[in-house]
């Protein structure tokens, strides 16, 4: 079995009887056990995984199979998994066993996917490097002295290292796209509302969105087709049926027949060395698409607005961790106030506390108008920029990140420099749009990603275009084993 197989290749192998789901799970569990250096998993429960795989084999034998039946995947540890630890990368939840499954988890379980384990992440999904995890930093499989990106760094790293064929992640301000770019894989942040947030531990509810991290666009579409869908348990879940998405499990991504106009936002190329995007542009032009310049003029204020809004929402969402109902509780509290104060001080890490403090401040009387309200106005201007750009272009092409994966410990003492890493991913999140990062080359020996952005609910354009690109090029096939500079 090929170490870097796609979900579809594994599905075909299972269908042909080349191996069983139990054999496949055993194979991946052995790889995971022998590769601890990446620190990509927080929880692996071999017995549980093998029991699910055995059931998948029975289901396949009796003809009750979807393309995912028996195929292993990993879940970011932000998704609640019933009866299994769900820590969100935090000491606060280090002993939390979820009493129910997230909708995404139950949908994939029902399709027969086999959960290999829960992946490491920045605490409460706050971070761009995966150095904020209570369970230790994750390292980049292409170079162990570099970060894998965050906050879905564990998910991206295990897929890049071949320890799982695909994984789920979440993106609030870039946490699927940025680690996908840093680890040389394909990461899709769907339109806000496409994927249910039920059972996905909340960070900033108006921004959080789950999505797939995979080896290529076809796998991304396949995983999305099971993750997406209306859920009455999430009030922001969108009720819609897209035929192209329904067709994916049986037919894959439909071939793009139209020639598109692709917009390159000038603001995303200021002070960045992104020659590799030029190459992507040339490939698209050779395929018959047209490239034009567009402008997204409020790009430079997106980071400021995002960190006010995300912090404000986090400060209210995280007030539930009070040491009373679940999670970490301090020893021998002397009063209710002492219980709150010490449980939260002990249970939450420095970055999470920083967000709660700034978020609470931005929402407080006297500062609300100056910060929160202002940030919301900027959010609207950014969404308007995209709407205007989409009158000139069908899709937008830009770098995913300003530079390739930085070194461990390079930025974690400087929160503002760390926040700047998100400057190309955050605007899309504020506008609620779908965006995908696809591997498109190497810089300084590390993978780099191109970001494609589409109008709301047009993930089909992102996937169709990426599929075309991945038919023409083979960046998505490079692995840390085949590439020089490997750790
Ligand atoms: N790096 C950003 C932050 O720390 C984005 C995180 C995310 O998308 N979850 O807020």
């Amino acid at each position: 079995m090929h170490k870097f197989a796609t979900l579809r290749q594994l599905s075909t192998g299972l269908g042909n009887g080349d191996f069983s789901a139990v054999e496949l799970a055993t194979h991946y569990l052995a790889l995971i056990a022998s590769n601890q250096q990446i620190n990509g998993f927080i929880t692996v429960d071999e017995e549980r995984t093998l029991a699910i795989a055995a059931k998948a084999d029975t289901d396949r034998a009796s003809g009750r199979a979807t393309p995912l039946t028996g195929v292993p995947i990993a879940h970011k540890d932000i998704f609640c998994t019933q009866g299994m630890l769900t820590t969100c990368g935090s000491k606060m939840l280090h002993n939390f066993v979820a009493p129910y499954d997230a909708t995404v988890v139950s949908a994939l379980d029902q399709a027969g996917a086999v959960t290999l384990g829960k992946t490491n992440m920045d605490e409460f999904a706050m971070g761009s490097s995966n150095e904020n995890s209570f369970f230790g930093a994750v390292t980049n499989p292409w170079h162990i002295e570099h970060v894998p990106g965050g906050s879905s760094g564990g998910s991206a790293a295990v897929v890049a290292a071949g320890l799982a064929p695909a994984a789920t992640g979440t993106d609030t301000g870039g946490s699927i796209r940025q680690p996908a770019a840093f680890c040389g894989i394909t990461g899709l942040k769907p339109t806000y509302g496409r994927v249910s947030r039920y059972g996905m531990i909340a960070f900033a509810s108006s921004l959080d969105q789950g999505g797939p991290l995979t080896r290529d666009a076809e796998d991304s579409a396949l995983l999305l087709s099971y993750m997406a869908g209306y859920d009455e348990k999430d009030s922001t879940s969108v009720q819609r049926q897209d035929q192209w998405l329904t067709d994916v499990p049986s037919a894959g991504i439909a071939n793009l027949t139209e020639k598109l106009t692709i917009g390159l936002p000038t603001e995303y190329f200021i002070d960045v060395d992104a020659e590799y995007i030029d190459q992507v542009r040339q490939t698209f032009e050779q395929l018959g698409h047209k490239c034009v310049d567009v402008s997204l003029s409020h790009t430079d204020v997106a980071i400021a607005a995002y960190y006010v809004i995300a912090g404000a929402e986090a400060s209210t969402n995280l007030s539930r961790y009070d040491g009373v109902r679940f999670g970490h509780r301090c020893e021998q509290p002397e009063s209710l106030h002492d219980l709150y104060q010490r449980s939260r001080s002990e249970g939450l890490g420095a970055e999470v506390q920083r967000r709660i403090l700034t978020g609470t401040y931005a929402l407080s009387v006297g500062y609300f108008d100056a910060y929160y309200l202002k940030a919301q106005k900027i959010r609207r201007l950014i969404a308007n920029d995209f709407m205007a750009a989409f009158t000139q272009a069908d899709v937008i092409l830009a770098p995913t990140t300003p530079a390739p994966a930085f070194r461990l410990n390079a930025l974690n003492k400087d929160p503002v420099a760390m926040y700047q890493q998100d400057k190309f991913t955050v605007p899309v999140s504020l506008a609620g749009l779908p965006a995908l990062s696809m591997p498109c080359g190497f810089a300084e020996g590390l993978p780099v990603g191109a970001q494609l952005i589409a109008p709301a609910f047009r993930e089909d354009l992102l996937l169709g275009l990426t599929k075309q690109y991945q038919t023409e090029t083979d960046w998505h096939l490079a692995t840390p084993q085949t590439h020089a500079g490997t750790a």
Side-chain angles (χ1 to χ4, degrees):
M1 176 183 329
H2 171 37
K3 182 170 174 194
F4 295 96
T6 61
L7 295 175
R8 281 133 36 242
Q9 286 165 338
L10 296 176
S11 185
T12 305
L14 286 163
N16 292 342
D18 299 343
F19 40 78
S20 68
V22 169
E23 282 167 346
L24 195 55
T26 308
H27 165 83
Y28 276 102
L29 290 171
L31 282 175
I32 293 166
S34 67
N35 189 328
Q36 298 293 333
Q37 202 176 22
I38 289 172
N39 196 26
F41 283 95
I42 292 174
T43 304
V44 175
D45 180 344
E46 299 202 351
E47 221 173 286
R48 189 179 199 269
T49 301
L50 292 172
I52 302 168
K55 174 163 183 312
D57 280 331
T58 318
D59 285 349
R60 274 202 180 261
S62 56
R64 287 192 307 265
T66 79
L68 289 184
T69 304
V71 176
I73 56 160
H75 284 299
K76 183 176 182 178
D77 207 16
I78 197 167
F79 288 101
C80 286
T81 41
Q82 187 173 9
M84 194 177 188
L85 272 183
T86 300
T87 71
C88 219
S90 182
K91 178 178 177 188
M92 182 55 89
L93 294 178
H94 75 280
N95 57 0
F96 175 65
V97 176
Y100 61 89
D101 280 326
T103 298
V104 161
V105 169
S106 56
L108 287 165
D109 279 358
Q110 259 161 38
V114 177
T115 303
L116 290 169
K118 307 290 295 289
T119 59
N120 203 342
M121 56 180 284
D122 281 306
E123 183 176 8
F124 286 104
M126 297 173 192
S128 311
S129 68
N130 231 293
E131 292 165 292
N132 295 339
S133 169
F134 174 63
F135 301 90
V138 177
T139 59
N140 190 314
W142 297 86
H143 201 305
I144 53 153
E145 284 162 20
H146 289 250
V147 305
S151 65
S152 311
S155 286
V158 301
V159 174
L163 306 182
T168 56
T170 61
D171 193 309
T172 302
S175 284
I176 290 177
R177 290 162 285 158
Q178 187 249 22
F182 279 10
C183 290
I185 62 168
T186 303
L188 172 66
K189 176 200 115 56
T191 313
Y192 182 77
R194 171 78 85 184
V195 171
S196 169
R197 290 184 296 108
Y198 180 75
M200 205 177 96
I201 294 174
F203 161 14
S205 307
S206 78
L207 297 155
D208 298 343
Q209 189 58 199
L213 289 128
T214 57
R215 308 207 64 80
D216 64 13
E218 281 286 6
D219 273 7
S220 182
L222 183 59
L223 217 48
L224 179 68
S225 71
Y226 289 95
M227 294 173 77
Y230 174 67
D231 181 6
E232 60 178 17
K233 298 195 199 102
D234 171 3
S235 60
T236 58
S237 158
V238 174
Q239 207 154 9
R240 58 183 285 143
Q241 285 269 321
D242 289 289
Q243 194 54 44
W244 66 266
L245 195 54
T246 315
D247 291 344
V248 162
S250 55
I253 302 168
N255 286 326
L256 262 189
T257 48
E258 341 147 45
K259 300 297 175 212
L260 303 178
T261 304
I262 299 172
L264 284 88
T266 41
E267 292 80 1
Y268 284 57
F269 294 88
I270 299 168
D271 294 335
V272 283
D273 185 11
E275 261 168 47
Y276 53 90
I277 298 292
D278 246 7
Q279 309 265 315
V280 179
R281 173 193 185 132
Q282 282 172 29
T283 308
F284 283 144
E285 284 174 344
Q286 279 155 19
L287 286 162
H289 303 297
K290 191 174 125 197
C291 292
V292 298
D293 286 344
V294 293
S295 174
L296 297 167
S297 59
H298 296 91
T299 301
D300 62 337
V301 283
I303 288 287
Y306 168 84
Y307 278 91
V308 169
I309 294 169
E313 293 186 21
S315 74
T316 58
N317 270 328
L318 272 65
S319 63
R320 72 191 60 163
Y321 305 108
D322 54 6
V324 176
R325 285 160 296 183
F326 43 67
H328 176 74
R329 183 190 183 98
C330 69
E331 299 278 337
Q332 295 174 341
E334 280 161 17
S335 63
L336 186 60
H337 192 266
D338 183 44
L339 167 73
Y340 290 160
Q341 192 168 28
R342 277 199 292 128
S343 300
R344 285 167 72 76
S345 307
E346 292 164 10
L348 301 172
E351 182 58 29
V352 174
Q353 293 193 25
R354 182 160 26 242
R355 307 274 179 121
I356 293 173
L357 287 172
T358 52
T360 306
Y361 182 82
L363 288 178
S364 57
V365 178
Y367 296 102
F368 183 90
D369 287 3
Y371 294 102
Y372 185 72
L373 206 60
K374 185 77 148 255
Q376 292 291 16
K377 288 180 180 169
I378 294 173
R379 184 175 192 173
R380 167 52 62 195
L381 293 173
I382 288 169
N384 288 350
D385 280 354
F386 279 107
M387 278 204 275
F390 286 128
T391 62
Q392 294 159 29
D394 302 300
V395 171
I396 289 168
L397 165 67
T400 309
T401 59
F406 44 92
R407 285 184 173 269
L408 284 157
N409 298 317
L411 300 178
N412 56 356
K413 304 282 177 303
D414 185 349
V416 176
M418 187 71 94
Y419 297 169
Q420 285 299 328
Q421 297 303 309
D422 305 330
K423 63 181 180 186
F424 299 150
T425 49
V426 146
V428 166
S429 303
L430 289 170
L433 300 174
L436 177 152
S437 179
M438 59 174 195
C440 66
F442 290 86
E444 302 157 34
L446 289 156
V448 284
Q451 182 177 208
L452 294 169
I453 306 164
F457 302 106
R458 294 308 305 273
E459 291 88 350
D460 57 323
L461 291 178
L462 305 177
L463 293 162
L465 207 50
T466 306
K467 179 184 167 184
Q468 258 188 0
Y469 182 80
Q470 293 179 337
T471 311
E472 287 300 305
T473 62
D474 54 10
W475 299 116
H476 63 294
L477 300 177
T479 68
Q481 277 179 356
T482 60
H483 195 266
T486 293

